[in-house]
Short mmCIF file of all heavy atoms in Angstrom, two decimals:
data_model
loop_
_atom_site.label_atom_id
_atom_site.label_comp_id
_atom_site.label_asym_id
_atom_site.label_seq_id
_atom_site.Cartn_x
_atom_site.Cartn_y
_atom_site.Cartn_z
N LYS A 1 13.76 -101.76 45.65
CA LYS A 1 12.42 -101.50 45.12
C LYS A 1 12.54 -100.66 43.87
O LYS A 1 13.40 -99.79 43.76
CB LYS A 1 11.56 -100.75 46.14
CG LYS A 1 11.09 -101.59 47.27
CD LYS A 1 10.14 -100.79 48.13
CE LYS A 1 9.56 -101.63 49.23
NZ LYS A 1 8.62 -100.87 50.04
N LYS A 2 11.65 -100.93 42.92
CA LYS A 2 11.63 -100.11 41.72
C LYS A 2 11.10 -98.73 42.06
O LYS A 2 10.15 -98.58 42.81
CB LYS A 2 10.71 -100.74 40.66
CG LYS A 2 11.25 -102.00 40.07
CD LYS A 2 10.30 -102.50 39.01
CE LYS A 2 10.82 -103.79 38.40
NZ LYS A 2 9.89 -104.30 37.39
N ASP A 3 11.75 -97.74 41.51
CA ASP A 3 11.27 -96.37 41.70
C ASP A 3 10.14 -96.13 40.71
O ASP A 3 10.35 -96.08 39.50
CB ASP A 3 12.39 -95.35 41.46
CG ASP A 3 13.45 -95.41 42.55
OD1 ASP A 3 13.09 -95.80 43.67
OD2 ASP A 3 14.61 -95.08 42.27
N THR A 4 8.94 -96.00 41.23
CA THR A 4 7.80 -95.72 40.37
C THR A 4 7.56 -94.22 40.36
O THR A 4 7.63 -93.57 41.40
CB THR A 4 6.53 -96.45 40.86
OG1 THR A 4 6.28 -96.07 42.21
CG2 THR A 4 6.69 -97.95 40.77
N PRO A 5 7.29 -93.68 39.19
CA PRO A 5 7.03 -92.24 39.14
C PRO A 5 5.74 -91.92 39.89
O PRO A 5 4.84 -92.75 39.96
CB PRO A 5 6.89 -91.96 37.64
CG PRO A 5 6.56 -93.26 37.03
CD PRO A 5 7.16 -94.32 37.91
N PRO A 6 5.67 -90.74 40.47
CA PRO A 6 4.45 -90.37 41.19
C PRO A 6 3.27 -90.31 40.23
O PRO A 6 3.40 -89.92 39.07
CB PRO A 6 4.77 -88.98 41.75
CG PRO A 6 5.89 -88.47 40.92
CD PRO A 6 6.65 -89.67 40.44
N ALA A 7 2.11 -90.73 40.73
CA ALA A 7 0.90 -90.71 39.90
C ALA A 7 0.49 -89.27 39.62
O ALA A 7 0.44 -88.44 40.52
CB ALA A 7 -0.23 -91.45 40.61
N ILE A 8 0.23 -88.99 38.38
CA ILE A 8 -0.19 -87.65 37.98
C ILE A 8 -1.65 -87.75 37.52
O ILE A 8 -1.97 -88.54 36.64
CB ILE A 8 0.68 -87.11 36.83
CG1 ILE A 8 2.13 -87.01 37.30
CG2 ILE A 8 0.17 -85.77 36.34
CD1 ILE A 8 3.11 -86.69 36.20
N ASP A 9 -2.52 -86.97 38.15
CA ASP A 9 -3.92 -86.99 37.78
C ASP A 9 -4.08 -86.45 36.36
O ASP A 9 -3.43 -85.48 35.97
CB ASP A 9 -4.75 -86.12 38.73
CG ASP A 9 -4.93 -86.77 40.08
OD1 ASP A 9 -4.79 -88.01 40.17
OD2 ASP A 9 -5.21 -86.05 41.05
N PRO A 10 -4.95 -87.08 35.57
CA PRO A 10 -5.18 -86.57 34.22
C PRO A 10 -5.87 -85.20 34.28
O PRO A 10 -6.64 -84.93 35.20
CB PRO A 10 -6.09 -87.63 33.59
CG PRO A 10 -6.70 -88.35 34.74
CD PRO A 10 -5.74 -88.25 35.88
N THR A 11 -5.57 -84.35 33.31
CA THR A 11 -6.10 -82.99 33.31
C THR A 11 -6.54 -82.56 31.92
O THR A 11 -6.09 -83.10 30.91
CB THR A 11 -5.04 -81.98 33.78
OG1 THR A 11 -3.91 -82.06 32.90
CG2 THR A 11 -4.60 -82.22 35.19
N PHE A 12 -7.43 -81.56 31.89
CA PHE A 12 -7.72 -80.86 30.65
C PHE A 12 -6.61 -79.83 30.49
O PHE A 12 -6.36 -79.04 31.40
CB PHE A 12 -9.06 -80.12 30.72
CG PHE A 12 -10.26 -81.00 30.47
CD1 PHE A 12 -11.19 -81.21 31.47
CD2 PHE A 12 -10.46 -81.59 29.24
CE1 PHE A 12 -12.30 -82.01 31.25
CE2 PHE A 12 -11.57 -82.38 29.01
CZ PHE A 12 -12.49 -82.60 30.01
N THR A 13 -5.96 -79.80 29.34
CA THR A 13 -4.96 -78.76 29.08
C THR A 13 -5.57 -77.63 28.26
O THR A 13 -5.07 -76.52 28.28
CB THR A 13 -3.74 -79.34 28.35
OG1 THR A 13 -4.16 -80.00 27.15
CG2 THR A 13 -3.00 -80.32 29.25
N LYS A 14 -6.68 -77.94 27.55
CA LYS A 14 -7.39 -76.92 26.78
C LYS A 14 -8.82 -77.39 26.60
O LYS A 14 -9.08 -78.58 26.37
CB LYS A 14 -6.72 -76.70 25.42
CG LYS A 14 -7.34 -75.57 24.61
CD LYS A 14 -6.59 -75.32 23.31
CE LYS A 14 -7.21 -74.16 22.55
NZ LYS A 14 -6.54 -73.94 21.26
N PHE A 15 -9.76 -76.47 26.71
CA PHE A 15 -11.18 -76.75 26.49
C PHE A 15 -11.73 -75.60 25.67
O PHE A 15 -11.61 -74.44 26.07
CB PHE A 15 -11.92 -76.86 27.83
CG PHE A 15 -13.22 -77.59 27.73
CD1 PHE A 15 -13.30 -78.93 28.05
CD2 PHE A 15 -14.36 -76.94 27.28
CE1 PHE A 15 -14.50 -79.62 27.95
CE2 PHE A 15 -15.56 -77.62 27.17
CZ PHE A 15 -15.63 -78.97 27.50
N TYR A 16 -12.32 -75.89 24.50
CA TYR A 16 -12.74 -74.81 23.61
C TYR A 16 -13.88 -75.27 22.70
O TYR A 16 -14.20 -76.45 22.61
CB TYR A 16 -11.56 -74.32 22.78
CG TYR A 16 -10.93 -75.37 21.89
CD1 TYR A 16 -11.21 -75.41 20.54
CD2 TYR A 16 -10.05 -76.32 22.40
CE1 TYR A 16 -10.64 -76.37 19.71
CE2 TYR A 16 -9.48 -77.28 21.59
CZ TYR A 16 -9.77 -77.30 20.24
OH TYR A 16 -9.21 -78.26 19.43
N LEU A 17 -14.48 -74.30 22.03
CA LEU A 17 -15.49 -74.55 21.01
C LEU A 17 -14.91 -74.08 19.69
O LEU A 17 -14.54 -72.92 19.54
CB LEU A 17 -16.79 -73.80 21.31
CG LEU A 17 -17.45 -74.07 22.65
CD1 LEU A 17 -18.71 -73.23 22.79
CD2 LEU A 17 -17.76 -75.54 22.82
N SER A 18 -14.84 -74.98 18.75
CA SER A 18 -14.31 -74.68 17.43
C SER A 18 -15.43 -74.17 16.52
O SER A 18 -16.53 -74.73 16.52
CB SER A 18 -13.69 -75.94 16.84
OG SER A 18 -13.36 -75.75 15.49
N ALA A 19 -15.15 -73.13 15.76
CA ALA A 19 -16.15 -72.57 14.84
C ALA A 19 -16.51 -73.58 13.75
O ALA A 19 -17.65 -73.64 13.29
CB ALA A 19 -15.63 -71.28 14.22
N SER A 20 -15.57 -74.44 13.38
CA SER A 20 -15.84 -75.42 12.33
C SER A 20 -16.78 -76.53 12.78
O SER A 20 -17.45 -77.16 11.96
CB SER A 20 -14.53 -76.03 11.82
OG SER A 20 -13.87 -76.71 12.86
N ASN A 21 -16.87 -76.80 14.09
CA ASN A 21 -17.75 -77.86 14.61
C ASN A 21 -19.07 -77.34 15.17
O ASN A 21 -19.93 -78.14 15.51
CB ASN A 21 -17.03 -78.64 15.72
CG ASN A 21 -15.83 -79.37 15.22
OD1 ASN A 21 -15.74 -79.73 14.06
ND2 ASN A 21 -14.87 -79.59 16.10
N ASN A 22 -19.21 -76.02 15.30
CA ASN A 22 -20.38 -75.44 15.95
C ASN A 22 -20.98 -74.33 15.09
O ASN A 22 -20.50 -73.20 15.11
CB ASN A 22 -20.00 -74.88 17.33
CG ASN A 22 -19.59 -75.97 18.28
OD1 ASN A 22 -20.41 -76.71 18.78
ND2 ASN A 22 -18.28 -76.09 18.52
N PRO A 23 -22.06 -74.66 14.33
CA PRO A 23 -22.72 -73.62 13.53
C PRO A 23 -23.21 -72.49 14.44
O PRO A 23 -23.76 -72.73 15.49
CB PRO A 23 -23.90 -74.37 12.90
CG PRO A 23 -23.55 -75.81 12.98
CD PRO A 23 -22.68 -75.96 14.18
N GLY A 24 -22.97 -71.28 14.00
CA GLY A 24 -23.35 -70.12 14.80
C GLY A 24 -22.14 -69.43 15.40
O GLY A 24 -22.24 -68.31 15.87
N LEU A 25 -20.99 -70.10 15.38
CA LEU A 25 -19.76 -69.47 15.86
C LEU A 25 -18.94 -68.96 14.68
O LEU A 25 -18.88 -69.62 13.64
CB LEU A 25 -18.89 -70.48 16.62
CG LEU A 25 -19.28 -70.83 18.04
CD1 LEU A 25 -18.26 -71.81 18.63
CD2 LEU A 25 -19.39 -69.61 18.92
N THR A 26 -18.33 -67.81 14.86
CA THR A 26 -17.45 -67.28 13.82
C THR A 26 -15.98 -67.40 14.21
O THR A 26 -15.12 -67.41 13.35
CB THR A 26 -17.79 -65.81 13.52
OG1 THR A 26 -17.70 -65.06 14.75
CG2 THR A 26 -19.19 -65.69 12.94
N THR A 27 -15.72 -67.50 15.52
CA THR A 27 -14.35 -67.66 16.00
C THR A 27 -14.33 -68.70 17.11
O THR A 27 -15.37 -69.05 17.68
CB THR A 27 -13.77 -66.34 16.56
OG1 THR A 27 -14.58 -65.92 17.66
CG2 THR A 27 -13.72 -65.25 15.50
N GLU A 28 -13.15 -69.18 17.41
CA GLU A 28 -13.00 -70.16 18.50
C GLU A 28 -13.30 -69.51 19.85
O GLU A 28 -12.93 -68.36 20.09
CB GLU A 28 -11.56 -70.69 18.51
CG GLU A 28 -11.30 -71.74 19.55
CD GLU A 28 -9.89 -72.28 19.49
OE1 GLU A 28 -9.56 -72.99 18.53
OE2 GLU A 28 -9.10 -71.97 20.41
N VAL A 29 -13.99 -70.25 20.72
CA VAL A 29 -14.29 -69.78 22.07
C VAL A 29 -13.50 -70.67 23.03
O VAL A 29 -13.69 -71.89 23.05
CB VAL A 29 -15.80 -69.88 22.38
CG1 VAL A 29 -16.07 -69.50 23.83
CG2 VAL A 29 -16.60 -69.02 21.43
N THR A 30 -12.60 -70.08 23.81
CA THR A 30 -11.74 -70.85 24.70
C THR A 30 -12.24 -70.76 26.13
O THR A 30 -12.55 -69.68 26.63
CB THR A 30 -10.29 -70.33 24.64
OG1 THR A 30 -9.85 -70.39 23.28
CG2 THR A 30 -9.37 -71.17 25.50
N GLY A 31 -12.32 -71.90 26.80
CA GLY A 31 -12.73 -71.96 28.20
C GLY A 31 -11.59 -71.62 29.13
O GLY A 31 -10.42 -71.75 28.78
N VAL A 32 -11.95 -71.17 30.32
CA VAL A 32 -10.96 -70.85 31.35
C VAL A 32 -10.99 -71.99 32.36
O VAL A 32 -12.02 -72.27 32.98
CB VAL A 32 -11.29 -69.51 32.04
CG1 VAL A 32 -10.32 -69.24 33.17
CG2 VAL A 32 -11.28 -68.38 31.02
N ILE A 33 -9.84 -72.66 32.53
CA ILE A 33 -9.73 -73.78 33.45
C ILE A 33 -9.06 -73.29 34.73
O ILE A 33 -7.93 -72.81 34.70
CB ILE A 33 -8.91 -74.93 32.83
CG1 ILE A 33 -9.53 -75.38 31.51
CG2 ILE A 33 -8.79 -76.10 33.81
CD1 ILE A 33 -8.66 -76.32 30.69
N GLU A 34 -9.80 -73.38 35.84
CA GLU A 34 -9.26 -73.00 37.15
C GLU A 34 -9.55 -74.14 38.12
O GLU A 34 -10.72 -74.37 38.47
CB GLU A 34 -9.89 -71.70 37.65
CG GLU A 34 -9.45 -70.49 36.86
CD GLU A 34 -10.02 -69.20 37.42
OE1 GLU A 34 -10.73 -69.23 38.45
OE2 GLU A 34 -9.75 -68.15 36.82
N GLY A 35 -8.50 -74.83 38.52
CA GLY A 35 -8.69 -75.99 39.39
C GLY A 35 -9.46 -77.05 38.65
O GLY A 35 -9.06 -77.49 37.58
N LYS A 36 -10.59 -77.45 39.19
CA LYS A 36 -11.43 -78.48 38.58
C LYS A 36 -12.70 -77.88 37.97
O LYS A 36 -13.68 -78.56 37.76
CB LYS A 36 -11.81 -79.56 39.61
CG LYS A 36 -10.62 -80.28 40.21
CD LYS A 36 -9.92 -81.11 39.18
CE LYS A 36 -8.76 -81.86 39.83
NZ LYS A 36 -8.01 -82.63 38.90
N GLU A 37 -12.67 -76.58 37.70
CA GLU A 37 -13.80 -75.87 37.10
C GLU A 37 -13.40 -75.32 35.74
O GLU A 37 -12.29 -74.84 35.56
CB GLU A 37 -14.23 -74.70 37.99
CG GLU A 37 -14.64 -75.09 39.39
CD GLU A 37 -16.03 -75.69 39.44
OE1 GLU A 37 -16.89 -75.27 38.65
OE2 GLU A 37 -16.25 -76.58 40.28
N ILE A 38 -14.34 -75.38 34.80
CA ILE A 38 -14.13 -74.81 33.47
C ILE A 38 -15.26 -73.81 33.23
O ILE A 38 -16.43 -74.16 33.35
CB ILE A 38 -14.16 -75.88 32.36
CG1 ILE A 38 -13.12 -76.96 32.64
CG2 ILE A 38 -13.93 -75.24 30.99
CD1 ILE A 38 -13.28 -78.19 31.77
N ALA A 39 -14.92 -72.57 32.90
CA ALA A 39 -15.90 -71.54 32.59
C ALA A 39 -15.82 -71.25 31.09
O ALA A 39 -14.74 -71.06 30.54
CB ALA A 39 -15.64 -70.28 33.39
N LEU A 40 -16.97 -71.25 30.45
CA LEU A 40 -17.02 -71.07 29.00
C LEU A 40 -18.06 -70.01 28.68
O LEU A 40 -19.23 -70.15 29.02
CB LEU A 40 -17.40 -72.41 28.36
CG LEU A 40 -17.21 -72.61 26.88
CD1 LEU A 40 -15.75 -72.44 26.49
CD2 LEU A 40 -17.66 -74.01 26.50
N ARG A 41 -17.65 -68.89 28.06
CA ARG A 41 -18.56 -67.81 27.66
C ARG A 41 -19.04 -68.10 26.25
O ARG A 41 -18.24 -68.10 25.31
CB ARG A 41 -17.84 -66.47 27.68
CG ARG A 41 -17.66 -65.94 29.05
CD ARG A 41 -18.77 -64.96 29.28
NE ARG A 41 -18.66 -64.44 30.62
CZ ARG A 41 -19.69 -64.15 31.35
NH1 ARG A 41 -20.90 -64.31 30.88
NH2 ARG A 41 -19.54 -63.68 32.55
N ILE A 42 -20.32 -68.36 26.11
CA ILE A 42 -20.87 -68.76 24.82
C ILE A 42 -21.66 -67.61 24.19
O ILE A 42 -22.52 -67.02 24.85
CB ILE A 42 -21.78 -69.99 24.99
CG1 ILE A 42 -20.94 -71.14 25.52
CG2 ILE A 42 -22.46 -70.36 23.69
CD1 ILE A 42 -21.67 -72.43 25.70
N PRO A 43 -21.39 -67.31 22.93
CA PRO A 43 -22.14 -66.25 22.25
C PRO A 43 -23.61 -66.62 22.13
O PRO A 43 -23.98 -67.80 22.07
CB PRO A 43 -21.50 -66.19 20.86
CG PRO A 43 -20.19 -66.87 20.99
CD PRO A 43 -20.33 -67.86 22.11
N ASN A 44 -24.46 -65.62 22.07
CA ASN A 44 -25.90 -65.84 21.98
C ASN A 44 -26.32 -66.52 20.68
O ASN A 44 -27.40 -67.09 20.60
CB ASN A 44 -26.64 -64.51 22.14
CG ASN A 44 -26.44 -63.95 23.53
OD1 ASN A 44 -26.38 -64.69 24.50
ND2 ASN A 44 -26.31 -62.64 23.63
N SER A 45 -25.47 -66.49 19.67
CA SER A 45 -25.81 -67.07 18.38
C SER A 45 -25.75 -68.60 18.38
O SER A 45 -26.19 -69.24 17.43
CB SER A 45 -24.86 -66.54 17.31
OG SER A 45 -23.52 -66.89 17.64
#
């Protein structure tokens, strides 16, 4: 039998808000990925 590699679930490796794509941001905002949850702290602006 052919040895097939184990299936690897696709994942987010990084989730963020770029200042260049989002007016009102001055710096990049990076999300925290824990398991299947992403937490993102967004500035009030």
Side-chain angles (χ1 to χ4, degrees):
K1 286 186 176 181
K2 290 182 180 179
D3 291 333
T4 56
I8 299 171
D9 287 338
T11 59
F12 279 115
T13 56
K14 185 176 181 183
F15 200 97
Y16 60 102
L17 303 179
S18 171
S20 62
N21 296 333
N22 294 286
L25 283 182
T26 56
T27 60
E28 182 178 290
V29 175
T30 303
V32 176
I33 303 169
E34 290 183 2
K36 300 293 182 182
E37 301 282 327
I38 304 168
L40 195 59
R41 284 262 179 215
I42 298 182
N44 294 324
S45 60

